[in-house]
Amino acid sequence: MPPRGQARGGARGGRGGRGGASGVALTTQPGLQPAAQHITTVGIRRPGYGTSGRAMNINVNSFTATFEGAYIFHYDVITPEKNAAAMNKRLMKELQNNVAPAVFADAGVGFDGRKNLVSSAQLNMRGDSAEFDVTLPGEAPTHADRPPRIYKIRLTLVATINAEVLRGFTAGRQSHDNVITTALMALNVVIKEDPSQKFPTKGRSFFTPQGSKKIMGGLELWRGYFQSIRPAVGRLLVNVDISTGLMYQAGPLINLCLEFLKIKNPAQLSSQMPDQHRRDLGRFITGVRVQTRDAAGGAVRSRVVRKLSRQGANEVTFTDRDGHVRTVARYFQDTTGRPLRSPALLCVEVGRGALIPLELCTVIPGQIVRKEIPEEVRSELVTFSTMHPKQRLESVRQALQVLAYGQSEYVRKFGLTVGTDLVSTQARVLNAPRLKYGGTGPRATVNPANGSWNMADKRFFQPMTIKAWVLAILEAPNRFNDQVAQDVARDLVAGCRATGMTVEDPIPVIRRINGQGNIAQQLIAAGKECADTKVGPSLFVVVLPEGGNHLYTIVKHWGDIRQGVATQCVKSKKCTRAKMQYWANVALKINVKLGGVNVITDATQMTTLSDPHLPTVIMGADVMHPAPGSTGRPSFAAVVSSVDANAAKYVAISKVQVGRQELITDLQEMTSYALSKYLSYREFVEKARPVAPKRLIFYRDGVSEGQFQQVLDQELPLIKAACREHKINPTITLIVVGKRHHIRLFAANDRDADRSGNCPAGTVVDRDIGHPTEFDFYLQSHGGLLGTSRPAHYSDNNFSADALQALSFALCHVYARATRSVSIPAPVYYADTVCARAKIHFDPFASHSETGTTTSDASENLESFKRDYLPLHDKHRNLMYFSLSGCKYEGLFCRNL
């Protein structure tokens, strides 16, 4: 629930200003309307607009909104505990329309389904609080001899906000405080009210069946629309984007089960089903809402599936009210007078333990899958979601017809008006940084063009040596024979040597590994064979079969946690008869895992990183939360840090923390660890003077706009405390990187777009669509391949606009495993990768593996996870072990979902 607005009147002013240790005088750019001097901001005021780069006109997927209301009234809603949002909205609609219509007669009202009701006028209640009894028409009683259920709803006025406060905020005269947060929440609730009553809704997106597509596993894809009211410079904007929803296929529940299990015979849905299949199916249908007809009264009811029975309807028994023991099949036959068509099929448990045969359940249309997206459907989801920029922009325009703001009673009564013209503004295209590879002369440097470059004739900046290595094959011999193995070994060596690496012994120890056996023991045996005949292997290249994700986890746990040896996994299909470009890309990952550096920014251009008098440490941090629907599982936090003068070599540390908590609990310890690695590398490897960093630039990922103040309040002091531990006092710049937003940039003139139709890499926008008072900007740092590119959103507390934008763009070019600029700076990407790899720290065969069970006690559960979270092997602590071959965003950073 958002923070409550202040009491009546919405007092102006806000928290005291907070910022990094700056000491830099910034000059306001011409045309900038800075926030008034008495206004405090979250972070730092915008120092000015950037001026570097080539100017370009763009369109943005947003529309101007005008709010002409006088006041916003915010009510706290207390409804029966544990009601779903959809149920609460049904109750509120009944309250408004039939139970107490006079209370709402003069108001435009929006309700978020949870705790917040907002109104354009004060409700006609006696006093600020009232309680109502609501009965839903047509709802069958829980028992035949009881009356319909009465739901008690209490409304309490908690804030009255003068709309002038919001208008002052967009004009730069008002601080961003709880009053503004509540006002923006209210407007978002209002624009969501109408579509939420017509379409399936998730967050701020809603979905329609038009253009839907059935896919595997009983699922289908629906297209939808995202909408959000955002503050901008001098106005409010409605951000509209295209979204994709994963839905359960409607119809008989039996059909859904057959589709999920990929079988055709319904008779297999019986107690003879293998236990693993039954458990998988049970997890899949849990939470699905089905329609059933009561056996006794014949009323049609909507129920939620709680679990799947172990026995068929003709086997599972229960004791009825008269004390008779009957099977479920017998009960339905006796009650309805008709036997079940398939009495041997399983049942679903609904409500408080009632069992309903599968054949009597129908899946209600329009149900969103709110669990983790199955791995096997992700590629179809990406393909379905991919849209050319022009197609996406046209869909955004068409969305206005579906949203129909002008026809919404809720929007009109609230005093909101939404324009129909796309927002246009001016962007700039930054010059790409020059990159430096190994050697001297023209071949040692490269100038990226639209976010990509060619490594032909280039050598790594710091290439490493492979003394001896092992090729371990987990693929079947008929799919990966001995000749293919020899070819792979030869081509890998050629790819490594082409990039400047030294391979002292090109002939590896080739060992076939039984994936059903003890993989760790077999890898150790292969390593011992290599050590006995040559020298100890510095690298294990492991060939995995398709669908071998569980084998990948086992291999990485062995290499990174248990053994401390570099492992490089490749898929058998991809590496068979692969071209040299593929092996050069593999070499990118191997070199950094062994301690090398692939590429750096040219020191003559990026003085922020290369000034020897101002040594700079770059850090990135992220938090990854458990999958939707998971309970009792933790979140994982990661911090990565540069250790060298070029900010190209990084170390990492990760921790377990409370599930779904965004703030990093152990940030002081993690930052202190990273700083110790930086200081020791500078002193003992680079032998630099001075050793201590003068600047610390901290990129923080995953924080929503509403949490930025919490980061400043709670995380920034932990970073400073870590610096004090090492008796250093660098200036600190904290930069929040947002990639989960829906702003998209479109070139107004086709001549300005790249070959994919996207804005070119380096497009930056800091005018018109940014925050009214804070320093932020949008940077599209990567070239598009498929679909519409997504810019990253940055907020900062101590930099000039041009300096921060240039630094962030440069760091997007030194991601170690690519010859393309990526969508977010490399340290943020690395932190995200470390979080994604957190599962390898658990023993893959222990209870806390990815599919492990949890206890009901949250604190006990967390401590258990912490005990089982094994540390990185000592040999990997100074290496970029996390440069993996299948990063979670690989192939997606230029496609929007």
Side-chain angles (χ1 to χ4, degrees):
M1 185 172 70
R4 299 300 184 193
Q6 296 176 8
R8 299 171 189 269
R12 302 189 182 210
R15 307 178 183 88
R18 296 171 177 86
S22 174
V24 179
L26 300 176
T27 304
T28 300
Q29 298 295 331
L32 175 68
Q33 295 181 356
Q37 289 301 309
H38 69 282
I39 297 303
T40 59
T41 63
V42 176
I44 192 171
R45 296 176 190 149
R46 188 183 299 278
Y49 293 128
T51 58
S52 299
R54 168 176 59 87
M56 183 179 80
N57 293 324
I58 62 166
N59 294 318
V60 183
N61 59 332
S62 297
F63 303 89
T64 300
T66 304
F67 178 45
E68 298 176 348
Y71 291 93
I72 296 173
F73 297 86
H74 180 203
Y75 290 83
D76 181 66
V77 182
I78 298 178
T79 57
E81 293 184 7
K82 298 182 180 179
N83 265 358
M87 179 63 170
N88 286 337
K89 289 183 82 68
R90 285 181 61 199
L91 292 170
M92 187 60 66
K93 189 173 183 179
E94 180 66 17
L95 173 62
Q96 290 179 245
N97 296 341
N98 300 314
V99 176
V103 171
F104 302 89
D106 303 323
V109 173
F111 177 47
D112 68 357
R114 297 296 182 189
K115 291 290 185 181
N116 299 291
L117 183 140
V118 295
S119 173
S120 59
Q122 189 163 358
L123 301 184
N124 299 321
M125 302 188 305
R126 294 180 180 178
D128 288 346
S129 186
E131 187 171 273
F132 306 90
D133 293 338
V134 179
T135 301
L136 290 177
E139 183 178 70
T142 53
H143 297 289
D145 55 349
R146 295 183 184 178
R149 180 178 176 182
I150 296 175
Y151 299 89
K152 292 188 177 297
I153 298 178
R154 174 170 288 277
L155 303 180
T156 303
L157 179 66
V158 291
T160 302
I161 301 172
N162 190 326
E164 282 301 317
V165 175
L166 186 58
R167 287 187 273 270
F169 170 62
T170 57
R173 301 189 305 269
Q174 165 71 36
S175 305
H176 191 162
D177 54 18
N178 283 352
V179 176
I180 300 301
T181 298
T182 303
L184 293 172
M185 176 275 297
L187 298 184
N188 274 300
V189 168
V190 169
I191 65 171
K192 181 181 175 180
E193 189 67 36
D194 199 62
S196 70
Q197 296 182 17
K198 301 175 182 177
F199 307 104
T201 303
K202 183 177 181 181
R204 294 180 180 179
S205 296
F206 62 92
F207 307 94
T208 72
Q210 184 176 1
S212 61
K213 177 186 178 183
K214 288 188 177 183
I215 58 175
M216 66 180 73
L219 303 173
E220 55 189 32
L221 297 169
W222 286 25
R223 297 203 185 277
Y225 302 98
F226 168 91
Q227 57 173 356
S228 174
I229 286 189
R230 303 173 54 86
V233 178
R235 56 183 168 178
L236 294 171
L237 300 178
V238 178
N239 177 208
V240 177
D241 196 20
I242 309 305
S243 55
T244 300
L246 187 65
M247 324 291 286
Y248 295 101
Q249 289 182 19
L253 181 57
I254 287 178
N255 293 352
L256 181 66
C257 295
L258 294 175
E259 289 278 351
F260 174 76
L261 294 172
K262 299 180 178 63
I263 58 177
K264 295 183 178 180
N265 185 2
Q268 294 179 257
L269 301 174
S270 68
S271 58
Q272 302 305 309
M273 180 189 304
D275 285 345
Q276 186 60 52
H277 290 178
R278 180 180 52 76
R279 284 193 292 268
D280 292 343
L281 177 60
R283 281 193 290 265
F284 175 69
I285 64 174
T286 295
V288 174
R289 187 170 291 276
V290 296
Q291 201 172 64
T292 66
R293 186 178 296 278
D294 285 347
V300 176
R301 301 181 64 182
S302 174
R303 311 266 193 129
V304 176
V305 175
R306 303 298 180 195
K307 63 170 65 172
L308 187 66
S309 69
R310 291 176 174 270
Q311 298 172 298
N314 62 353
E315 299 171 297
V316 63
T317 60
F318 71 101
T319 303
D320 62 21
R321 293 183 183 178
D322 299 326
H324 299 136
V325 177
R326 287 191 282 182
T327 66
V328 171
R330 173 56 65 181
Y331 168 78
F332 277 93
Q333 181 174 344
D334 293 346
T335 308
T336 64
R338 297 187 304 275
L340 297 175
R341 294 191 301 272
S342 305
L345 301 193
L346 302 179
C347 302
V348 292
E349 183 179 312
V350 299
R352 299 181 180 178
L355 290 168
I356 311 291
L358 283 176
E359 68 177 70
L360 300 181
C361 300
T362 301
V363 179
I364 297 173
Q367 293 188 65
I368 301 171
V369 178
R370 301 183 187 274
K371 304 171 185 176
E372 186 175 17
I373 299 173
E375 188 71 34
E376 61 271 17
V377 306
R378 289 186 181 179
S379 60
E380 290 199 65
L381 188 149
V382 170
T383 301
F384 185 80
S385 304
T386 299
M387 300 180 76
H388 187 275
K390 282 190 175 180
Q391 181 187 3
R392 194 181 196 95
L393 192 59
E394 184 58 33
S395 295
V396 168
R397 289 192 175 101
Q398 293 174 0
L400 288 185
Q401 301 174 17
V402 180
L403 293 164
Y405 295 115
Q407 300 171 29
S408 169
E409 173 189 357
Y410 306 98
V411 172
R412 289 202 313 271
K413 280 191 173 182
F414 228 82
L416 265 174
T417 304
V418 181
T420 57
D421 294 328
L422 287 166
V423 169
S424 299
T425 186
Q426 187 180 84
R428 292 170 290 111
V429 182
L430 302 179
N431 294 324
R434 188 161 60 240
L435 304 178
K436 190 171 189 324
Y437 282 92
T440 58
R443 292 185 178 182
T445 60
V446 63
N447 294 298
N450 195 29
S452 65
W453 60 95
N454 195 324
M455 249 196 75
D457 300 324
K458 301 292 186 295
R459 301 293 182 265
F460 291 143
F461 181 78
Q462 183 183 334
M464 299 304 290
T465 296
I466 301 174
K467 292 182 178 298
W469 59 294
V470 171
L471 178 62
I473 304 168
L474 277 80
E475 180 62 282
N478 61 329
R479 296 191 183 95
F480 201 90
N481 59 39
D482 292 344
Q483 184 57 54
V484 172
Q486 296 291 341
D487 294 343
V488 163
R490 180 197 65 223
D491 293 344
L492 174 61
V493 170
C496 290
R497 287 176 170 171
T499 55
M501 296 180 67
T502 300
V503 183
E504 293 187 353
D505 189 343
I507 309 299
V509 170
I510 300 177
R511 175 68 72 93
R512 293 194 178 273
I513 305 294
N514 179 8
Q516 304 300 318
N518 189 316
I519 294 175
Q521 285 185 358
Q522 296 175 80
L523 290 172
I524 290 172
K528 187 175 184 303
E529 180 182 341
C530 183
D532 289 345
T533 58
K534 303 176 182 182
V535 294
S538 52
L539 172 69
F540 281 71
V541 176
V542 182
V543 180
L544 298 178
E546 291 299 313
N549 290 344
H550 65 293
L551 299 175
Y552 174 88
T553 301
I554 293 171
V555 170
K556 289 300 177 182
H557 178 81
W558 175 80
D560 295 347
I561 309 301
R562 300 291 187 181
Q563 199 68 25
V565 64
T567 56
Q568 178 60 52
C569 294
V570 293
K571 289 289 184 71
S572 61
K573 276 190 177 180
K574 287 190 176 181
C575 68
T576 302
R577 292 186 294 277
K579 295 181 179 179
M580 192 50 59
Q581 180 62 47
Y582 172 85
W583 294 113
N585 287 336
V586 172
L588 288 169
K589 296 180 276 288
I590 291 175
N591 190 55
V592 293
K593 288 177 183 177
L594 296 176
V597 174
N598 293 348
V599 65
I600 65 170
T601 55
D602 192 323
T604 61
Q605 283 195 322
M606 192 47 57
T607 56
T608 303
L609 298 177
S610 60
D611 188 344
H613 303 294
L614 288 172
T616 301
V617 58
I618 308 286
M619 292 188 181
D622 194 13
V623 177
M624 180 172 288
H625 302 300
S630 301
T631 56
R633 303 194 70 80
S635 292
F636 301 103
V639 172
V640 302
S641 173
S642 65
V643 294
D644 63 325
N646 298 307
K649 189 188 290 284
Y650 287 80
V651 297
I653 181 172
S654 60
K655 294 279 187 178
V656 175
Q657 66 177 39
V658 174
R660 308 195 190 287
Q661 174 183 293
E662 186 56 51
L663 297 176
I664 301 177
T665 305
D666 299 317
L667 185 59
Q668 181 175 339
E669 176 190 346
M670 298 167 79
T671 305
S672 180
Y673 170 88
L675 287 172
S676 68
K677 292 295 183 182
Y678 172 87
L679 293 170
S680 61
Y681 189 90
R682 290 276 292 164
E683 181 175 4
F684 298 110
V685 178
E686 293 186 336
K687 303 187 185 303
R689 291 291 183 273
V691 173
K694 298 293 185 181
R695 294 182 295 201
L696 192 161
I697 301 174
F698 197 98
Y699 284 91
R700 180 66 161 88
D701 190 17
V703 179
S704 68
E705 293 178 48
Q707 292 173 316
F708 186 64
Q709 184 64 48
Q710 290 178 285
V711 171
L712 288 177
D713 287 344
Q714 299 180 41
E715 291 192 350
L716 185 57
L718 298 179
I719 298 171
K720 292 180 177 179
C723 292
R724 288 195 296 271
E725 284 184 31
H726 293 280
K727 297 181 174 56
I728 60 176
N729 186 33
T731 58
I732 300 173
T733 298
L734 178 62
I735 305 165
V736 171
V737 181
K739 59 181 182 290
R740 297 178 183 89
H741 61 83
H742 286 263
I743 292 292
R744 303 292 183 268
L745 313 178
F746 303 87
N749 192 316
D750 289 346
R751 293 194 304 270
D752 290 326
D754 65 13
R755 287 182 298 177
S756 69
N758 284 288
C759 292
T763 300
V764 63
V765 185
D766 55 8
R767 296 175 180 270
D768 298 327
I769 62 174
H771 196 277
T773 59
E774 296 170 22
F775 178 17
D776 67 346
F777 61 92
Y778 293 88
L779 171 62
Q780 190 165 299
S781 55
H782 55 291
L785 290 178
L786 297 172
T788 308
S789 297
R790 180 203 308 262
H793 184 213
Y794 297 78
S795 298
D796 160 68
N797 73 356
N798 176 25
F799 246 116
S800 69
D802 282 329
L804 177 59
Q805 291 162 9
L807 172 64
S808 300
F809 189 38
L811 289 173
C812 292
H813 285 76
V814 290
Y815 180 57
R817 62 165 309 273
T819 54
R820 300 183 62 87
S821 57
V822 291
S823 57
I824 52 178
V828 186
Y829 222 128
Y830 294 147
D832 181 274
T833 299
V834 174
C835 283
R837 287 170 61 91
K839 65 183 179 182
I840 72 165
H841 288 261
F842 296 111
D843 185 337
F845 301 105
S847 60
H848 279 158
S849 64
E850 193 176 14
T851 57
T853 56
T854 58
T855 68
S856 57
D857 188 297
S859 59
E860 177 187 337
N861 206 35
L862 179 62
E863 290 306 312
S864 177
F865 273 107
K866 286 184 175 180
R867 285 194 302 271
D868 291 347
Y869 194 75
L870 302 175
L872 191 68
H873 195 281
D874 286 344
K875 293 180 180 178
H876 272 17
R877 289 180 180 271
N878 297 323
L879 300 174
M880 294 176 65
Y881 71 96
F882 45 84
S883 180
L884 69 160
S885 58
C887 177
K888 121 181 188 183
Y889 290 104
E890 181 186 0
L892 297 183
F893 62 78
C894 55
R895 307 171 187 167
N896 282 330
L897 305 183

